[in-house]
């Protein structure tokens, strides 16, 4: 019987060592430890042996069973490790494989111009003031010398939220808020959306962008305004461009001007883009009306101010040769990706 036990152990060791998967290991386990195994048969014959031998053989058989169990347990662990390694190998990430290039978006041309102008003014000591698109009637009109029944309101008809709240028709509302919050000297800009009840066409949109400029100090003159605007336009459209200022009317400036830049397409000769005039209107401005200064708490006998409001869409169209305003709002990727 001893020989048999040794043989079983030897056979099992060889067989189990060759096993590479759980299924075969299960069959080996049944074969060597199951109900119909040689070991089970030997256990049964124990009963027939004389007592002394029974004890010795019993011990040997128990030892054999323990060893077989251990062999199977070890193999089971080996297989687990092998499976894990295979899984890790199959899931390995090759960090050296070149990745697909990531497509970055581009800045919208209106944002490019806005950012450029903000940088231009901030570099020259202006502070940037943020305002809300929703404004009160007071800041949008009343405090800018446009009382309730003033005809100028009609030109800037807008979306009323209630009788005292509107979507701002211009960024000029920020002039008043700034003057109320700080004493001169003031050099401020504010940029953002403005809204008017305009029909959409090639040059109009009910939502558009403006940049507001306000300077309040002692001895500020119209020459400062013209010089500032000329510097700005040359910065944006190149040294060769020129600007012309015409007398105009705004209730919040006296005197008031409107300024045009030389048409970049025809250089003043006259073309469809400038409707034959050679110039394109880009802004309104003037010397801040003393009434507006006073209403905002600024002493108009000591301080003067100049202000201007510039339409950004116009500048984008001029700078990049966009002939239809609607192209700027359609978010056509083919148009936008040109602005890297
Ligand atoms: N707010 C005017 C508009 O939207 C433009 C304007 C005119 C702005 C005169 C000013 C200004 O600051 O002084 O048509």
């Amino acid at each position: 019987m001893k020989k048999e036990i040794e043989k079983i152990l030897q056979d099992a060791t060889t067989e189990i060592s060759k096993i590479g998967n759980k299924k075969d290991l299960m069959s080996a386990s049944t074969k060597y430890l199951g109900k119909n195994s040689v070991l089970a048969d030997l256990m049964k014959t124990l009963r027939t042996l004389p007592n002394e031998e029974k004890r010795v053989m019993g011990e040997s058989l128990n030892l054999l069973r323990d060893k077989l169990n251990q062999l199977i347990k070890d193999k089971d662990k080996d297989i687990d490790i092998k499976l894990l390694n295979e899984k890790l190998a199959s899931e390995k990430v090759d960090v050296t494989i070149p990745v697909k290039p990531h497509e970055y978006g581009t800045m919208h041309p209106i944002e490019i111009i806005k950012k450029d102008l903000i940088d231009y003014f901030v570099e020259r000591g202006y502070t940037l003031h943020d305002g809300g698109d929703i404004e009160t009637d007071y800041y949008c009109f009343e405090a800018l010398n446009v009382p309730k029944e003033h005809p100028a309101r009609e030109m800037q008809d807008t979306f009323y939220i209630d009788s005292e709240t509107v979507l701002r028709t211009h960024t000029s509302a920020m002039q008043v808020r700034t003057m109320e919050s700080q004493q001169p000297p003031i050099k401020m800009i504010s940029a953002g959306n403005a809204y008017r009840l305009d029909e959409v066409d090639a040059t109009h949109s009910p939502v558009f962008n403006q940049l507001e400029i306000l300077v309040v100090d002692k001895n500020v003159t119209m020459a400062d305004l013209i010089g500032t605007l000329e510097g700005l336009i040359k910065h944006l459209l190149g040294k060769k461009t020129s600007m012309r200022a015409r007398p105009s009317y705004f209730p919040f400036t006296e005197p008031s001007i409107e300024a045009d830049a030389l048409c970049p397409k025809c250089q003043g000769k006259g073309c469809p883009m400038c409707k034959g005039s050679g110039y394109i209107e880009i802004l309104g401005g003037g010397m801040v009306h003393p009434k507006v200064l006073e209403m905002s708490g600024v002493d108009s006998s000591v301080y003067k101010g100049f202000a201007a409001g510039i339409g950004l869409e116009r500048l984008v169209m001029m700078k990049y040769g966009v002939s239809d305003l609607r192209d700027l709002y359609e978010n056509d990727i083919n148009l936008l990706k040109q602005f890297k």
Side-chain angles (χ1 to χ4, degrees), residues 101-242:
H102 193 80
E103 286 256 9
Y104 286 103
T106 52
M107 222 163 36
H108 192 280
I110 296 176
E111 286 304 308
I112 296 175
I113 296 290
K114 193 197 280 182
K115 190 174 174 305
D116 181 46
L117 295 186
I118 289 173
D119 287 349
Y120 176 86
F121 279 103
V122 168
E123 278 166 18
R124 284 158 181 76
Y126 287 71
T127 47
L128 176 64
H129 291 244
D130 252 344
D133 291 14
I134 297 174
E135 191 50 279
T136 62
D137 183 274
Y138 178 77
Y139 287 108
C140 197
F141 297 123
E142 293 278 336
L144 286 167
N145 201 24
V146 189
K148 281 246 157 34
E149 303 309 326
H150 198 290
R153 284 208 181 200
E154 209 164 298
M155 263 164 51
Q156 295 198 359
D157 201 6
T158 186
F159 304 91
Y160 278 81
I161 289 161
D162 58 42
S163 64
E164 294 305 321
T165 324
V166 299
L167 289 184
R168 66 177 174 191
T169 56
H170 50 186
T171 45
S172 303
M174 282 309 290
Q175 290 185 25
V176 182
R177 288 190 177 273
T178 308
M179 286 190 283
E180 278 184 358
S181 68
Q182 75 187 79
Q183 276 299 306
I186 293 170
K187 281 172 84 177
M188 72 76 99
I189 50 167
S190 188
N193 285 345
Y195 303 81
R196 286 183 203 173
L197 274 178
D198 271 332
E199 293 287 335
V200 178
D201 65 23
T203 52
H204 291 90
S205 158
V207 190
F208 56 102
N209 282 266
Q210 277 193 332
L211 177 85
E212 193 74 18
I213 311 166
L214 170 71
V215 173
V216 183
D217 206 343
K218 292 172 184 160
N219 306 320
V220 172
T221 69
M222 188 65 125
D224 296 318
L225 171 63
I226 304 279
T228 303
L229 296 176
E230 264 179 2
L232 162 68
I233 284 165
K234 287 198 163 37
H235 161 75
L236 201 73
L237 300 174
K239 292 219 158 52
K240 277 201 262 160
T241 193
S242 67

Side-chain angles (χ1 to χ4, degrees), residues 328-339:
L328 295 177
Y329 298 122
E330 272 170 7
N331 285 337
D332 178 349
I333 203 88
N334 289 320
L335 181 132
L336 295 178
K337 74 181 177 193
Q338 298 175 57
F339 297 92

